Amino acid sequence: MGRNRNHSLNEMLVSLFNHVMDMEGQAVITEEYKDITNNDMHIIEAIGIEAPRNMSVIAQKLHVTVSTLTINMNGLEKKGYICRERGQKDKRVVYVTLTEKGKKAFYHHRDFHKKMIKAIVKDLSQQEMEILCRCLENLNRFFEPEESSQGH
């Protein structure tokens, strides 16, 4: 019985991942944003709308190298989604902010995620919400780079 449940759970997780990626791509990359990819949208999300972020912080948040991120940033800058500026104190540090166009894309992406969360939790009791959060925290810990390699 447990093995069948594990198999079903695995199939459901794989299916959910694929659906989220497909639906996000369809919902987020609209006619207005056809010049960027879903990956670009996640970079825009990682930059955020608060204070300027440096490249190292953004790369760390996305679990990529700064050199990989730089390639994507070049495209986003050319398309008018981001601005990069060198630090005043340390010229080696590059700070990134979203332009108005980038902020608009950020809010567009955020709205998709808000709708998705609302659909997930609409019929859940408080206790079910706590269980769901605990399950997702466990799943997130499993995927964390440092910790997932230890003890698995």
Side-chain angles (χ1 to χ4, degrees), residues 26-78:
Q26 292 170 19
V28 172
I29 307 303
T30 60
E31 186 66 25
E32 185 174 3
Y33 302 106
K34 66 183 178 188
D35 62 335
I36 59 173
T37 66
N38 210 10
N39 186 51
D40 290 333
M41 276 292 193
H42 289 120
I43 293 169
I44 289 169
E45 178 185 39
I47 295 166
I49 53 172
E50 295 86 34
R53 289 222 165 110
N54 75 44
M55 291 284 286
S56 299
V57 169
I58 299 165
Q60 187 176 23
K61 189 171 184 177
L62 294 167
H63 305 288
V64 298
T65 64
V66 173
S67 59
T68 297
L69 183 60
T70 299
I71 295 165
N72 294 95
M73 290 295 190
N74 291 341
L76 286 170
E77 188 172 40
K78 279 182 195 168

Side-chain angles (χ1 to χ4, degrees), residues 138-152:
N138 289 341
L139 184 60
N140 195 45
R141 267 194 298 279
F142 175 80
F143 286 116
E144 286 176 357
E146 292 295 309
E147 297 174 18
S148 67
S149 62
Q150 298 171 2
H152 290 289

Side-chain angles (χ1 to χ4, degrees), residues 3-19:
R3 208 161 111 186
N4 282 340
R5 188 174 318 138
N6 287 349
H7 179 73
S8 295
L9 190 54
N10 183 63
E11 285 188 357
M12 194 180 322
L13 286 170
V14 169
S15 178
L16 278 169
F17 174 78
N18 290 329
H19 283 310

Side-chain angles (χ1 to χ4, degrees), residues 32-138:
E32 185 174 3
Y33 302 106
K34 66 183 178 188
D35 62 335
I36 59 173
T37 66
N38 210 10
N39 186 51
D40 290 333
M41 276 292 193
H42 289 120
I43 293 169
I44 289 169
E45 178 185 39
I47 295 166
I49 53 172
E50 295 86 34
R53 289 222 165 110
N54 75 44
M55 291 284 286
S56 299
V57 169
I58 299 165
Q60 187 176 23
K61 189 171 184 177
L62 294 167
H63 305 288
V64 298
T65 64
V66 173
S67 59
T68 297
L69 183 60
T70 299
I71 295 165
N72 294 95
M73 290 295 190
N74 291 341
L76 286 170
E77 188 172 40
K78 279 182 195 168
K79 295 170 188 169
Y81 288 92
I82 65 157
C83 272
R84 290 187 278 194
E85 291 181 18
R86 297 239 172 236
Q88 297 293 333
K89 294 178 183 170
D90 186 346
K91 299 291 184 194
R92 296 171 298 175
V93 179
V94 176
Y95 290 97
V96 183
T97 56
L98 296 177
T99 61
E100 285 308 309
K101 184 178 180 180
K103 288 177 185 175
K104 192 173 177 190
F106 173 90
Y107 289 120
H108 175 69
H109 185 244
R110 187 187 65 182
D111 289 346
F112 167 77
H113 282 270
K114 281 184 173 182
K115 288 176 189 170
M116 182 176 65
I117 297 301
K118 189 175 181 179
I120 291 168
V121 302
K122 70 178 180 180
D123 296 327
L124 297 183
S125 69
Q126 186 62 36
Q127 183 180 11
E128 290 168 327
M129 285 281 294
E130 289 171 17
I131 292 168
L132 176 62
C133 286
R134 203 165 54 229
C135 290
L136 293 175
E137 285 168 3
N138 289 341

